Amino acid sequence: MEIKWLKTFIIAASYENFRQASEDLFLTQPAVSKHIQRLQQELGDNLFEKKGKYIALTEAGRFFLPHAQKMVRAYEEGVGNFKLWKQGYNRKLTISAAPQIAASVLPSLIKQFVERYPHIEVTVNITNSFQVGKDISDRRSDIGLTRMLPGQADVFYELIHKEKAVLVAPFSVGARTEQELLSSYRLLTNNHPVYWEDLLLQIKACYPHIQLLPVTQVEITKRFIEEGLGVSYLPFSMVKKEVENQTLSVISQQKNYPAFFTHVYRNKRRNRRNKAV
């Protein structure tokens, strides 16, 4: 039984059409038919049946399909691991990270990690904060980094970083106070999935007449601030580079606003297995 027969079968089953399978696989239609025939001979049963102009999986085909998919996945994983070994890697780490973390603290963390563990291949999946926990639960990633608490029961989380919200303004504002800025600039909100509901209640209690401008992405928020379109409250780690480059300023605040928590996620089942090793 050859892997190419299995791959042809899986693609043909997804389309239930040999012509479309041949186009997808860059094979001739007779080559596709030959792969299926050889696989059927090996198994001793028909995997497809004709229904007019179309084909459909037989009962045997439906039974065999998940097994074929499992065999192809195992083959591809084995080949992939072998290629990593040839390149000098002996392990692989997949990280799911929320965009806010990926754009701020993640690069330095990865730099430290690869310097310490040069033989581990690192893959980073940038996804929204709500998806990080699902990636860990479904084992698509080994660890996750986000500022939200997980909603999945099988996800273990640990606090690894805490920082305060800071008021960020255009660099040109100079030594102006929080009250002066909030009375003359719009407050850019909704750029972070965790803290704005509680934060707005506190701010409105002190400055009830502020004008709001929702901007749902941190990077866009920073560009708006640089252009003088408003001010916002952000984690300092997200604006550190702009402050150093003197395009944004951090303004002294009168109150302590909510803190930002960065959590690392791991799958509980995988975590227990690792501790047992």
Side-chain angles (χ1 to χ4, degrees):
M1 187 177 297
E2 297 187 20
I3 287 295
K4 63 182 179 181
W5 302 348
L6 296 173
K7 289 182 176 180
T8 299
F9 166 62
I10 292 167
I11 295 299
S14 68
Y15 288 118
E16 292 195 327
N17 186 298
F18 286 176
R19 180 185 59 79
Q20 288 181 280
S22 68
E23 292 175 357
D24 192 296
L25 293 164
F26 300 101
L27 295 172
T28 64
Q29 192 166 330
V32 169
S33 298
K34 185 175 181 180
H35 286 182
I36 299 301
Q37 289 170 5
R38 296 291 299 274
L39 182 59
Q40 291 179 151
Q41 290 170 2
E42 182 85 11
L43 295 171
D45 210 334
N46 290 328
L47 300 174
F48 293 97
E49 59 183 343
K50 286 188 177 181
K51 290 191 173 182
K53 295 181 180 180
Y54 305 97
I55 61 170
L57 286 169
T58 62
E59 183 179 356
R62 290 192 295 272
F63 175 83
F64 183 65
L65 180 59
H67 297 285
Q69 293 168 331
K70 184 176 181 180
M71 285 187 280
V72 170
R73 282 197 300 268
Y75 168 79
E76 292 177 342
E77 182 178 351
V79 171
N81 289 338
F82 179 73
K83 288 180 178 179
L84 291 177
W85 175 79
K86 284 187 68 177
Q87 294 170 16
Y89 296 114
N90 52 31
R91 291 180 61 191
K92 181 177 180 179
L93 177 71
T94 303
I95 302 170
S96 280
Q100 304 89 351
I101 294 174
S104 53
V105 300
L106 185 58
S108 63
L109 291 176
I110 290 180
K111 182 179 179 182
Q112 295 174 45
F113 183 86
V114 298
E115 288 176 350
R116 186 171 180 180
Y117 304 103
H119 298 298
I120 297 180
E121 183 194 27
V122 178
T123 301
V124 180
N125 297 324
I126 308 303
T127 187
N128 66 62
S129 299
F130 300 97
Q131 181 66 31
V132 173
K134 193 171 189 310
D135 283 354
I136 302 302
S137 180
D138 294 343
R139 300 190 183 186
R140 286 194 293 267
S141 295
D142 301 299
I143 64 172
L145 292 169
T146 179
R147 290 196 163 92
M148 300 184 67
L149 294 179
Q152 294 77 19
D154 60 346
V155 174
F156 168 84
Y157 70 94
E158 183 179 0
L159 176 66
I160 60 170
H161 182 66
K162 176 181 177 181
E163 60 182 313
K164 291 289 187 180
V166 295
L167 177 58
V168 182
F171 184 77
S172 59
V173 299
R176 298 175 68 179
T177 66
E178 180 182 41
Q179 182 175 0
E180 290 173 333
L181 289 170
L182 292 177
S183 63
S184 55
Y185 283 90
R186 293 179 185 272
L187 179 62
L188 308 179
T189 64
N190 294 53
N191 44 46
H192 197 284
V194 176
Y195 61 85
W196 271 106
E197 185 175 351
D198 293 337
L199 179 58
L200 271 179
L201 290 175
Q202 295 184 45
I203 294 172
K204 287 182 176 180
C206 299
Y207 311 107
H209 302 297
I210 57 172
Q211 292 183 301
L212 306 179
L213 176 58
V215 181
T216 57
Q217 293 186 17
V218 171
E219 290 301 312
I220 302 302
T221 297
K222 292 193 289 186
R223 301 293 82 80
F224 275 32
I225 296 172
E226 289 176 346
E227 293 296 326
L229 295 173
V231 297
S232 190
Y233 292 87
L234 297 169
F236 179 74
S237 61
M238 292 184 180
V239 296
K240 183 175 182 290
K241 183 176 293 185
E242 288 83 1
V243 171
E244 292 173 350
N245 293 337
Q246 298 186 342
T247 60
L248 295 176
S249 292
V250 172
I251 307 302
S252 298
Q253 302 160 206
Q254 297 179 6
K255 292 185 174 292
N256 288 323
Y257 293 119
F260 300 87
F261 301 94
T262 300
H263 301 95
V264 60
Y265 288 2
R266 292 191 295 274
N267 189 288
K268 285 183 178 179
R269 287 167 289 180
R270 178 173 290 169
N271 196 47
R272 286 197 294 269
R273 185 170 68 250
N274 290 344
K275 285 183 178 179
V277 174

